[in-house]
Amino acid sequence: MNHEIYTALSGALANDRRQEVTANNLANINSGGFRRDVPLFATVYDQVSGNNRSPENSQDVLEHNAFAVQSGSWIDFQTGAMQDTGNPLDMALDGEGFFVVKRATDGKIYYTRDGHFRLNQERELVAINGDQVMAAGEDDVPLVLAGETPGALRDLKIGKLGDVMVDGQPIGALRLVTFADLQGLEKLGDAGFVESSVSGPPEPADQLLVSQGVRELSNVNVLEEMVSLIEIARQYQAQQKVIIGIDEINKLIANGVSG
Amino acid sequence: MIRGLFTSSTGMTAQQLNIDVIANNLANVNTTGFKKSRADFQDLMYQTMSRAGTTSATGEEIPTGVQVGLGTKPVAVYKVFTQGNYQETGNELDMAIEGDGFFQVLLSDGTTGYSRAGAYKLDSTGNMVTSDGYALQPAINIPSDTTQITITADGTVSVIQAGQTTSTTVGNIELASFSNPSGLDATGRNLFRETDASGNATTGTPGADGLGTLSQGFLEMSNVTVVEEMVNMIVGQRAYEANSKSIQTCDEMLQTANTLKR
């Protein structure tokens, strides 16, 4: 038996994964601050032919099988489209970086690009799912828009660097962070990211500019994803033809041997 | 692939909700004091196949993890409390709030309802009531022999009675405000109720403490903008379509896989 059939299968499975990721990107066309995923694949050689695992030193080896496996997932951190909402509690980030949010259920700190905030009963700035937005500083304290007259949100001003003014009085600043390696971040759902040992710890983001009254949308491009869908389906069909072809050869061999 | 089918179905369900909300906004384009709603979505959760920073079988550190997302979810449908346009009616019992704040009315269960709609009428005993008959709070009674009603910007209601030349103050209209108006519960009939999320109502004189002022003879119209809703509808419809294409692709691929075995 030859192993090519598994090579073709690995390609089909890779397209299977690409379809799943594309489906998730398309499902999140309208999720504020969503960053699209791109799966990455790499060739892996099997060890049937001894120690020669790379094609460079395999001239004398007649047989080695290559497989496609997912090596990672690339998160596209390109800025999404901006929507002018006029809502003073909507904030968009210009540059690489994130708002810092504390999850209400377990107190976990996570990072988001979705600056679609509102106020809760305690006048704390919270994300749309109710998680508190953290104020600048080392301690994880929520940003409280205190000292304000009820309902008068027109007097809230967010400066370019995230400083917050209420009724002309500075009351604090938003905590804005970035990471040494954004690709090391893990997705959490809820438009959130968490750090890993690859991304490194959060660092203050100095290059980041905040725009008030603007909301950053998803960075999914429908056209791009549609082209991917067509490509995935066609490649999958081609891989199916290869599998059928190999099967035909195997059948011939089997029939030849048996009689 | 099967996972992809369900992922796309969350996308389609989300867009359905989005269109439902837009449909209600458009249905209320002429409703006095109506505030439009918006549906908000976030990515659901991720299935992590391998974590960034862990070590692979051959000893190398994995630089980027493998995560597959499972779709989207509606996270909130919230009211947008921007000011609607004003319409001059000339009716002396019509009022529009210029700025933040809500009228308070007494509901049949004894609790207070909050409304932006300022179209008041008089009931048989001369009390100011909404079109549904809920009495304005604090109650204001207009004497039956009134010839002219004046409501000032700060909510003072005064009347001139038949045969008199000077006006008499019959009451003061108070407005209520909330720290988080988006957290109010919309109950229909142009009414909102307070919730834990909205916080308790703070009442005050119109014009004071950030509350808006009153304009007699005007009504606040719906804050729905048809063009904006149309654009949102197009975006929602196309997103729905895109997700259906993803389901179709998935189906095609499953069919392809099925024809492998003849």
Side-chain angles (χ1 to χ4, degrees), chain B residues 94-152:
Chain B
D94 282 350
M95 293 167 281
I97 306 171
E98 283 184 83
D100 296 319
F102 295 86
F103 293 111
Q104 307 169 69
V105 295
L106 184 67
L107 303 180
S108 27
D109 62 359
T111 58
T112 307
Y114 302 90
S115 176
R116 287 286 296 187
Y120 287 90
K121 321 273 184 300
L122 294 181
D123 68 3
S124 57
T125 54
N127 286 320
M128 281 179 76
V129 295
T130 66
S131 306
D132 289 309
Y134 301 129
L136 184 67
Q137 294 291 307
I140 289 170
N141 191 277
I142 308 288
S144 55
D145 56 349
T146 298
T147 53
Q148 196 190 340
I149 306 169
T150 313
I151 303 169
T152 58

Short mmCIF file of all heavy atoms in Angstrom, two decimals, chain B residues 94-152:
data_model
loop_
_atom_site.label_atom_id
_atom_site.label_comp_id
_atom_site.label_asym_id
_atom_site.label_seq_id
_atom_site.Cartn_x
_atom_site.Cartn_y
_atom_site.Cartn_z
N ASP B 94 -49.25 69.62 24.95
CA ASP B 94 -48.12 68.87 24.40
C ASP B 94 -46.82 69.48 24.90
O ASP B 94 -46.67 70.70 24.92
CB ASP B 94 -48.14 68.92 22.86
CG ASP B 94 -49.15 67.97 22.27
OD1 ASP B 94 -49.68 67.15 23.04
OD2 ASP B 94 -49.41 68.07 21.06
N MET B 95 -45.89 68.60 25.29
CA MET B 95 -44.59 69.09 25.75
C MET B 95 -43.48 68.23 25.17
O MET B 95 -43.63 67.02 25.04
CB MET B 95 -44.47 68.99 27.27
CG MET B 95 -45.36 69.90 28.04
SD MET B 95 -45.35 69.39 29.76
CE MET B 95 -46.43 68.01 29.75
N ALA B 96 -42.37 68.86 24.85
CA ALA B 96 -41.18 68.11 24.43
C ALA B 96 -40.07 68.39 25.44
O ALA B 96 -39.99 69.51 25.97
CB ALA B 96 -40.75 68.53 23.04
N ILE B 97 -39.26 67.38 25.76
CA ILE B 97 -38.13 67.59 26.67
C ILE B 97 -36.91 67.91 25.82
O ILE B 97 -36.52 67.13 24.96
CB ILE B 97 -37.85 66.34 27.53
CG1 ILE B 97 -39.11 65.91 28.28
CG2 ILE B 97 -36.70 66.61 28.50
CD1 ILE B 97 -38.97 64.57 28.98
N GLU B 98 -36.34 69.09 26.05
CA GLU B 98 -35.11 69.46 25.34
C GLU B 98 -33.95 69.09 26.23
O GLU B 98 -33.61 69.81 27.16
CB GLU B 98 -35.08 70.96 25.09
CG GLU B 98 -35.95 71.43 23.95
CD GLU B 98 -35.76 72.92 23.72
OE1 GLU B 98 -34.80 73.28 23.03
OE2 GLU B 98 -36.54 73.69 24.27
N GLY B 99 -33.36 67.92 25.98
CA GLY B 99 -32.26 67.44 26.82
C GLY B 99 -32.64 66.13 27.46
O GLY B 99 -33.58 65.45 27.03
N ASP B 100 -31.90 65.76 28.53
CA ASP B 100 -32.14 64.47 29.17
C ASP B 100 -33.30 64.52 30.15
O ASP B 100 -33.63 65.59 30.67
CB ASP B 100 -30.88 64.01 29.91
CG ASP B 100 -29.74 63.77 28.95
OD1 ASP B 100 -30.01 63.19 27.88
OD2 ASP B 100 -28.60 64.17 29.25
N GLY B 101 -33.89 63.38 30.43
CA GLY B 101 -34.95 63.30 31.43
C GLY B 101 -36.18 62.60 30.90
O GLY B 101 -36.33 62.42 29.68
N PHE B 102 -37.03 62.17 31.82
CA PHE B 102 -38.25 61.45 31.46
C PHE B 102 -39.42 62.02 32.24
O PHE B 102 -39.25 62.43 33.40
CB PHE B 102 -38.12 59.96 31.83
CG PHE B 102 -37.07 59.23 31.05
CD1 PHE B 102 -35.75 59.24 31.47
CD2 PHE B 102 -37.40 58.53 29.90
CE1 PHE B 102 -34.77 58.58 30.75
CE2 PHE B 102 -36.44 57.86 29.18
CZ PHE B 102 -35.11 57.88 29.60
N PHE B 103 -40.60 62.01 31.62
CA PHE B 103 -41.83 62.30 32.37
C PHE B 103 -42.12 61.09 33.25
O PHE B 103 -41.77 59.97 32.91
CB PHE B 103 -43.01 62.51 31.41
CG PHE B 103 -42.89 63.73 30.55
CD1 PHE B 103 -42.67 63.63 29.18
CD2 PHE B 103 -43.00 64.99 31.12
CE1 PHE B 103 -42.56 64.76 28.39
CE2 PHE B 103 -42.90 66.13 30.33
CZ PHE B 103 -42.67 66.01 28.96
N GLN B 104 -42.79 61.33 34.39
CA GLN B 104 -43.18 60.21 35.26
C GLN B 104 -44.69 60.07 35.22
O GLN B 104 -45.40 61.06 35.34
CB GLN B 104 -42.75 60.49 36.69
CG GLN B 104 -41.28 60.85 36.83
CD GLN B 104 -40.99 61.36 38.21
OE1 GLN B 104 -41.03 60.60 39.15
NE2 GLN B 104 -40.73 62.65 38.32
N VAL B 105 -45.15 58.84 35.06
CA VAL B 105 -46.60 58.60 35.09
C VAL B 105 -46.90 57.46 36.06
O VAL B 105 -46.07 56.59 36.29
CB VAL B 105 -47.17 58.25 33.68
CG1 VAL B 105 -47.03 59.43 32.74
CG2 VAL B 105 -46.52 57.02 33.11
N LEU B 106 -48.09 57.51 36.64
CA LEU B 106 -48.52 56.49 37.59
C LEU B 106 -49.19 55.35 36.82
O LEU B 106 -50.19 55.56 36.14
CB LEU B 106 -49.50 57.10 38.60
CG LEU B 106 -49.97 56.16 39.71
CD1 LEU B 106 -48.81 55.80 40.63
CD2 LEU B 106 -51.09 56.82 40.51
N LEU B 107 -48.61 54.15 36.92
CA LEU B 107 -49.18 53.01 36.21
C LEU B 107 -50.29 52.38 37.04
O LEU B 107 -50.42 52.66 38.24
CB LEU B 107 -48.09 51.97 35.91
CG LEU B 107 -46.91 52.50 35.10
CD1 LEU B 107 -45.88 51.41 34.87
CD2 LEU B 107 -47.37 53.09 33.77
N SER B 108 -51.08 51.52 36.40
CA SER B 108 -52.24 50.95 37.09
C SER B 108 -51.84 50.09 38.29
O SER B 108 -52.61 49.92 39.23
CB SER B 108 -53.11 50.15 36.12
OG SER B 108 -52.34 49.66 35.07
N ASP B 109 -50.59 49.51 38.28
CA ASP B 109 -50.16 48.69 39.41
C ASP B 109 -49.53 49.53 40.53
O ASP B 109 -48.97 48.98 41.48
CB ASP B 109 -49.21 47.60 38.95
CG ASP B 109 -47.94 48.15 38.34
OD1 ASP B 109 -47.81 49.39 38.25
OD2 ASP B 109 -47.08 47.36 37.94
N GLY B 110 -49.60 50.86 40.42
CA GLY B 110 -49.09 51.72 41.48
C GLY B 110 -47.63 52.10 41.34
O GLY B 110 -47.12 52.93 42.10
N THR B 111 -46.91 51.48 40.39
CA THR B 111 -45.51 51.83 40.20
C THR B 111 -45.42 53.01 39.23
O THR B 111 -46.40 53.42 38.62
CB THR B 111 -44.71 50.64 39.63
OG1 THR B 111 -45.31 50.25 38.40
CG2 THR B 111 -44.71 49.47 40.59
N THR B 112 -44.20 53.53 39.10
CA THR B 112 -44.00 54.68 38.23
C THR B 112 -43.43 54.23 36.88
O THR B 112 -42.50 53.43 36.84
CB THR B 112 -43.04 55.68 38.89
OG1 THR B 112 -43.53 55.96 40.19
CG2 THR B 112 -42.93 56.97 38.12
N GLY B 113 -43.99 54.73 35.82
CA GLY B 113 -43.45 54.50 34.49
C GLY B 113 -42.78 55.77 34.00
O GLY B 113 -43.09 56.87 34.48
N TYR B 114 -41.84 55.64 33.09
CA TYR B 114 -41.09 56.79 32.59
C TYR B 114 -41.27 56.89 31.09
O TYR B 114 -41.30 55.88 30.39
CB TYR B 114 -39.63 56.67 32.97
CG TYR B 114 -39.46 56.55 34.46
CD1 TYR B 114 -39.45 55.30 35.08
CD2 TYR B 114 -39.39 57.68 35.26
CE1 TYR B 114 -39.35 55.18 36.45
CE2 TYR B 114 -39.30 57.58 36.64
CZ TYR B 114 -39.28 56.33 37.24
OH TYR B 114 -39.20 56.23 38.59
N SER B 115 -41.42 58.11 30.59
CA SER B 115 -41.71 58.27 29.17
C SER B 115 -41.10 59.55 28.62
O SER B 115 -40.94 60.53 29.34
CB SER B 115 -43.23 58.29 28.98
OG SER B 115 -43.54 58.54 27.64
N ARG B 116 -40.76 59.50 27.34
CA ARG B 116 -40.29 60.71 26.66
C ARG B 116 -41.45 61.37 25.91
O ARG B 116 -41.31 62.49 25.42
CB ARG B 116 -39.20 60.35 25.64
CG ARG B 116 -37.88 59.97 26.21
CD ARG B 116 -37.10 61.14 26.74
NE ARG B 116 -36.72 62.12 25.74
CZ ARG B 116 -35.92 63.15 26.00
NH1 ARG B 116 -35.40 63.31 27.21
NH2 ARG B 116 -35.62 64.02 25.06
N ALA B 117 -42.55 60.64 25.76
CA ALA B 117 -43.67 61.18 24.99
C ALA B 117 -44.42 62.20 25.84
O ALA B 117 -44.82 61.92 26.96
CB ALA B 117 -44.60 60.05 24.57
N GLY B 118 -44.61 63.40 25.29
CA GLY B 118 -45.22 64.47 26.08
C GLY B 118 -46.59 64.87 25.61
O GLY B 118 -47.01 66.01 25.81
N ALA B 119 -47.32 63.94 24.98
CA ALA B 119 -48.68 64.26 24.50
C ALA B 119 -49.66 63.95 25.61
O ALA B 119 -50.03 62.80 25.81
CB ALA B 119 -48.99 63.45 23.25
N TYR B 120 -50.07 64.98 26.37
CA TYR B 120 -50.99 64.76 27.49
C TYR B 120 -52.39 65.21 27.14
O TYR B 120 -52.60 66.07 26.28
CB TYR B 120 -50.46 65.43 28.75
CG TYR B 120 -49.26 64.65 29.27
CD1 TYR B 120 -47.97 64.96 28.86
CD2 TYR B 120 -49.45 63.55 30.10
CE1 TYR B 120 -46.89 64.20 29.28
CE2 TYR B 120 -48.39 62.79 30.52
CZ TYR B 120 -47.11 63.11 30.11
OH TYR B 120 -46.07 62.34 30.51
N LYS B 121 -53.34 64.62 27.83
CA LYS B 121 -54.76 64.96 27.66
C LYS B 121 -55.32 65.22 29.05
O LYS B 121 -54.62 65.03 30.04
CB LYS B 121 -55.52 63.78 27.03
CG LYS B 121 -54.77 63.02 25.95
CD LYS B 121 -54.97 63.65 24.60
CE LYS B 121 -54.33 62.90 23.45
NZ LYS B 121 -52.88 62.72 23.49
N LEU B 122 -56.59 65.60 29.12
CA LEU B 122 -57.23 65.76 30.43
C LEU B 122 -58.27 64.65 30.59
O LEU B 122 -58.95 64.29 29.63
CB LEU B 122 -57.92 67.12 30.52
CG LEU B 122 -56.98 68.33 30.49
CD1 LEU B 122 -57.79 69.62 30.61
CD2 LEU B 122 -55.95 68.27 31.61
N ASP B 123 -58.34 64.10 31.80
CA ASP B 123 -59.40 63.11 32.02
C ASP B 123 -60.65 63.80 32.55
O ASP B 123 -60.70 65.04 32.66
CB ASP B 123 -58.91 61.97 32.93
CG ASP B 123 -58.67 62.41 34.36
OD1 ASP B 123 -58.93 63.59 34.66
OD2 ASP B 123 -58.21 61.59 35.17
N SER B 124 -61.69 63.04 32.90
CA SER B 124 -62.98 63.63 33.29
C SER B 124 -62.87 64.57 34.48
O SER B 124 -63.64 65.51 34.63
CB SER B 124 -63.97 62.51 33.58
OG SER B 124 -63.45 61.68 34.59
N THR B 125 -61.85 64.32 35.38
CA THR B 125 -61.72 65.18 36.57
C THR B 125 -60.71 66.28 36.37
O THR B 125 -60.41 67.03 37.29
CB THR B 125 -61.32 64.32 37.78
OG1 THR B 125 -60.15 63.59 37.44
CG2 THR B 125 -62.44 63.36 38.17
N GLY B 126 -60.14 66.40 35.16
CA GLY B 126 -59.21 67.48 34.88
C GLY B 126 -57.75 67.16 35.14
O GLY B 126 -56.89 68.03 35.07
N ASN B 127 -57.45 65.88 35.44
CA ASN B 127 -56.04 65.50 35.64
C ASN B 127 -55.34 65.34 34.31
O ASN B 127 -55.93 64.88 33.33
CB ASN B 127 -55.96 64.18 36.41
CG ASN B 127 -56.30 64.36 37.87
OD1 ASN B 127 -55.91 65.35 38.49
ND2 ASN B 127 -57.05 63.42 38.41
N MET B 128 -54.03 65.69 34.28
CA MET B 128 -53.24 65.48 33.07
C MET B 128 -52.88 64.01 32.98
O MET B 128 -52.25 63.46 33.89
CB MET B 128 -51.98 66.35 33.08
CG MET B 128 -52.26 67.80 32.72
SD MET B 128 -50.76 68.81 32.78
CE MET B 128 -49.95 68.34 31.27
N VAL B 129 -53.26 63.35 31.88
CA VAL B 129 -53.00 61.92 31.69
C VAL B 129 -52.41 61.68 30.30
O VAL B 129 -52.54 62.52 29.42
CB VAL B 129 -54.29 61.06 31.85
CG1 VAL B 129 -54.83 61.14 33.27
CG2 VAL B 129 -55.34 61.50 30.85
N THR B 130 -51.77 60.51 30.14
CA THR B 130 -51.26 60.14 28.82
C THR B 130 -52.42 59.65 27.96
O THR B 130 -53.54 59.51 28.45
CB THR B 130 -50.23 58.99 28.91
OG1 THR B 130 -50.92 57.82 29.37
CG2 THR B 130 -49.11 59.31 29.88
N SER B 131 -52.16 59.35 26.70
CA SER B 131 -53.21 58.86 25.80
C SER B 131 -53.80 57.56 26.31
O SER B 131 -54.93 57.20 25.99
CB SER B 131 -52.65 58.64 24.40
OG SER B 131 -52.01 59.81 23.98
N ASP B 132 -53.00 56.80 27.12
CA ASP B 132 -53.49 55.55 27.69
C ASP B 132 -54.19 55.76 29.03
O ASP B 132 -54.61 54.79 29.66
CB ASP B 132 -52.34 54.57 27.88
CG ASP B 132 -51.84 54.05 26.56
OD1 ASP B 132 -52.68 53.60 25.77
OD2 ASP B 132 -50.62 54.11 26.31
N GLY B 133 -54.25 57.00 29.51
CA GLY B 133 -54.96 57.29 30.75
C GLY B 133 -54.10 57.24 32.01
O GLY B 133 -54.63 57.32 33.11
N TYR B 134 -52.79 57.10 31.87
CA TYR B 134 -51.92 57.09 33.05
C TYR B 134 -51.67 58.53 33.50
O TYR B 134 -51.31 59.39 32.70
CB TYR B 134 -50.58 56.41 32.75
CG TYR B 134 -50.72 54.98 32.29
CD1 TYR B 134 -50.10 54.55 31.12
CD2 TYR B 134 -51.48 54.05 33.01
CE1 TYR B 134 -50.23 53.24 30.68
CE2 TYR B 134 -51.62 52.75 32.58
CZ TYR B 134 -50.99 52.34 31.42
OH TYR B 134 -51.12 51.05 30.99
N ALA B 135 -51.86 58.78 34.81
CA ALA B 135 -51.75 60.15 35.32
C ALA B 135 -50.30 60.60 35.44
O ALA B 135 -49.44 59.85 35.89
CB ALA B 135 -52.44 60.24 36.67
N LEU B 136 -50.05 61.85 35.04
CA LEU B 136 -48.74 62.45 35.17
C LEU B 136 -48.40 62.59 36.65
O LEU B 136 -49.27 62.89 37.47
CB LEU B 136 -48.76 63.83 34.49
CG LEU B 136 -47.46 64.62 34.43
CD1 LEU B 136 -46.45 63.94 33.53
CD2 LEU B 136 -47.74 66.03 33.90
N GLN B 137 -47.14 62.34 37.03
CA GLN B 137 -46.69 62.48 38.42
C GLN B 137 -45.65 63.59 38.51
O GLN B 137 -44.75 63.63 37.68
CB GLN B 137 -46.08 61.16 38.91
CG GLN B 137 -47.08 60.03 39.02
CD GLN B 137 -48.07 60.27 40.13
OE1 GLN B 137 -47.67 60.53 41.27
NE2 GLN B 137 -49.34 60.22 39.83
N PRO B 138 -45.65 64.47 39.50
CA PRO B 138 -46.73 64.68 40.46
C PRO B 138 -48.01 65.14 39.74
O PRO B 138 -47.92 65.84 38.75
CB PRO B 138 -46.18 65.77 41.38
CG PRO B 138 -44.93 66.26 40.76
CD PRO B 138 -44.53 65.40 39.66
N ALA B 139 -49.17 64.73 40.29
CA ALA B 139 -50.44 64.97 39.62
C ALA B 139 -50.70 66.46 39.43
O ALA B 139 -50.39 67.28 40.29
CB ALA B 139 -51.57 64.35 40.44
N ILE B 140 -51.23 66.80 38.27
CA ILE B 140 -51.57 68.19 37.98
C ILE B 140 -53.04 68.24 37.56
O ILE B 140 -53.45 67.51 36.65
CB ILE B 140 -50.64 68.77 36.90
CG1 ILE B 140 -49.24 68.96 37.53
CG2 ILE B 140 -51.18 70.09 36.37
CD1 ILE B 140 -48.17 69.28 36.58
N ASN B 141 -53.81 69.03 38.27
CA ASN B 141 -55.23 69.13 37.98
C ASN B 141 -55.53 70.49 37.38
O ASN B 141 -55.17 71.52 37.94
CB ASN B 141 -56.04 68.93 39.27
CG ASN B 141 -57.50 68.75 38.98
OD1 ASN B 141 -58.21 69.73 38.82
ND2 ASN B 141 -57.94 67.50 38.89
N ILE B 142 -56.15 70.47 36.22
CA ILE B 142 -56.50 71.72 35.54
C ILE B 142 -57.98 72.00 35.84
O ILE B 142 -58.84 71.18 35.52
CB ILE B 142 -56.30 71.57 34.00
CG1 ILE B 142 -54.91 71.04 33.67
CG2 ILE B 142 -56.60 72.88 33.28
CD1 ILE B 142 -53.77 72.00 33.87
N PRO B 143 -58.28 73.16 36.45
CA PRO B 143 -59.69 73.48 36.77
C PRO B 143 -60.53 73.53 35.50
O PRO B 143 -60.04 73.87 34.42
CB PRO B 143 -59.60 74.87 37.41
CG PRO B 143 -58.18 75.01 37.84
CD PRO B 143 -57.36 74.21 36.92
N SER B 144 -61.82 73.20 35.65
CA SER B 144 -62.68 73.04 34.47
C SER B 144 -62.96 74.37 33.75
O SER B 144 -63.23 74.39 32.55
CB SER B 144 -63.99 72.38 34.88
OG SER B 144 -64.57 73.13 35.92
N ASP B 145 -62.87 75.49 34.48
CA ASP B 145 -63.17 76.78 33.84
C ASP B 145 -61.92 77.47 33.28
O ASP B 145 -61.88 78.68 33.12
CB ASP B 145 -63.89 77.70 34.84
CG ASP B 145 -63.08 77.90 36.11
OD1 ASP B 145 -62.08 77.16 36.29
OD2 ASP B 145 -63.43 78.80 36.91
N THR B 146 -60.88 76.67 33.00
CA THR B 146 -59.62 77.23 32.50
C THR B 146 -59.76 77.70 31.07
O THR B 146 -60.36 77.02 30.23
CB THR B 146 -58.52 76.14 32.58
OG1 THR B 146 -58.36 75.80 33.95
CG2 THR B 146 -57.21 76.63 32.02
N THR B 147 -59.20 78.88 30.79
CA THR B 147 -59.24 79.36 29.41
C THR B 147 -57.88 79.24 28.74
O THR B 147 -57.79 79.15 27.53
CB THR B 147 -59.69 80.84 29.36
OG1 THR B 147 -58.85 81.59 30.23
CG2 THR B 147 -61.14 80.97 29.78
N GLN B 148 -56.80 79.27 29.56
CA GLN B 148 -55.48 79.20 28.96
C GLN B 148 -54.52 78.47 29.91
O GLN B 148 -54.53 78.70 31.11
CB GLN B 148 -54.96 80.61 28.68
CG GLN B 148 -53.79 80.62 27.72
CD GLN B 148 -53.13 81.99 27.64
OE1 GLN B 148 -53.74 83.01 27.99
NE2 GLN B 148 -51.90 82.01 27.21
N ILE B 149 -53.70 77.57 29.35
CA ILE B 149 -52.71 76.83 30.15
C ILE B 149 -51.32 77.24 29.70
O ILE B 149 -51.05 77.28 28.49
CB ILE B 149 -52.87 75.31 29.99
CG1 ILE B 149 -54.30 74.86 30.30
CG2 ILE B 149 -51.87 74.55 30.86
CD1 ILE B 149 -54.59 73.43 29.91
N THR B 150 -50.45 77.56 30.63
CA THR B 150 -49.07 77.90 30.28
C THR B 150 -48.13 76.96 31.03
O THR B 150 -48.24 76.79 32.25
CB THR B 150 -48.74 79.37 30.67
OG1 THR B 150 -49.81 80.19 30.23
CG2 THR B 150 -47.44 79.82 30.07
N ILE B 151 -47.21 76.34 30.28
CA ILE B 151 -46.18 75.50 30.92
C ILE B 151 -44.83 76.14 30.60
O ILE B 151 -44.48 76.31 29.43
CB ILE B 151 -46.24 74.05 30.38
CG1 ILE B 151 -47.63 73.44 30.62
CG2 ILE B 151 -45.17 73.19 31.06
CD1 ILE B 151 -47.86 72.13 29.91
N THR B 152 -44.11 76.53 31.63
CA THR B 152 -42.82 77.18 31.40
C THR B 152 -41.72 76.14 31.23
O THR B 152 -41.93 74.95 31.46
CB THR B 152 -42.46 78.10 32.58
OG1 THR B 152 -42.43 77.29 33.75
CG2 THR B 152 -43.46 79.22 32.75
#
